[in-house]
């Protein structure tokens, strides 16, 4: 059984930092993309960032470029999202997701449903 264990998140003031983690277990494949999408109340889901386990290519939404950094520890099958210079508009529920695909397949999956998705974690940025 595939499980995605997410951690991190919380409440922080604008300009602050948070780190999200997502540990994947039970995956039967070695090449995959892992990342986070977010959803704020009344807004559409947004693909935030993802990384490929094979070639370490990355994707960032324009809204987070230069502020967020994604990384992966393949030995632990764990991805990390370091979020710096947080803004109130980053407030949302963040979901970790895995697709057995490239990073672009992961981004496209946002329109449908992810193969594997963890429980959401709340990130709240106060002004």
């Amino acid at each position: 059984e595939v499980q995605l264990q997410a951690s991190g998140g919380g409440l922080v003031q604008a300009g602050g930092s948070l780190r999200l983690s997502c540990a994947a277990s039970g995956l039967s494949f070695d090449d995959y993309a892992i990342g986070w999408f977010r959803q704020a109340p009344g807004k559409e889901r947004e693909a935030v960032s993802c990384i490929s386990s094979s070639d370490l290519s990355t994707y960032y939404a324009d809204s987070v470029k230069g502020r967020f950094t994604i990384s992966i520890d393949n030995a632990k099958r764990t991805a990390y999202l370091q979020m710096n210079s947080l803004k109130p508009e980053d407030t949302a529920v963040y979901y970790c997701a895995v697709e057995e695909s490239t990073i672009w397949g992961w981004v496209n999956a946002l329109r449908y449903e992810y193969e594997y998705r963890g429980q959401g974690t709340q990130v709240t940025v106060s002004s």
Side-chain angles (χ1 to χ4, degrees):
E1 179 186 3
V2 175
Q3 289 189 336
L4 301 181
Q5 184 64 45
S7 61
L11 173 64
V12 66
Q13 289 188 331
S17 299
L18 287 172
R19 189 175 85 153
L20 304 182
S21 300
C22 180
S25 61
L27 295 177
S28 60
F29 41 86
D30 292 327
D31 295 340
Y32 56 92
I34 184 170
W36 282 264
F37 68 92
R38 66 187 180 186
Q39 186 156 30
K43 294 186 178 181
E44 293 187 353
R45 300 194 307 179
E46 178 185 22
V48 176
S49 180
C50 68
I51 186 168
S52 166
S53 68
S54 57
D55 63 13
L56 305 184
S57 55
T58 58
Y59 165 84
Y60 294 98
D62 287 343
S63 58
V64 306
K65 281 181 181 176
R67 301 187 297 121
F68 291 11
T69 302
I70 193 168
S71 59
I72 187 170
D73 182 332
N74 275 320
K76 297 181 179 179
R77 295 203 166 193
T78 299
Y80 306 94
L81 185 67
Q82 179 66 41
M83 305 185 293
N84 297 330
S85 303
L86 283 161
K87 304 176 181 179
E89 49 263 45
D90 293 318
T91 295
V93 177
Y94 285 68
Y95 297 89
C96 173
V98 167
E99 281 285 309
E100 188 183 2
S101 71
T102 65
I103 57 171
W104 301 114
W106 188 97
V107 173
N108 287 332
L110 181 75
R111 297 183 294 170
Y112 310 105
E113 190 52 75
Y114 285 95
E115 194 169 3
Y116 304 104
R117 191 185 86 170
Q119 61 185 29
T121 184
Q122 178 70 45
V123 171
T124 302
V125 184
S126 63
S127 57

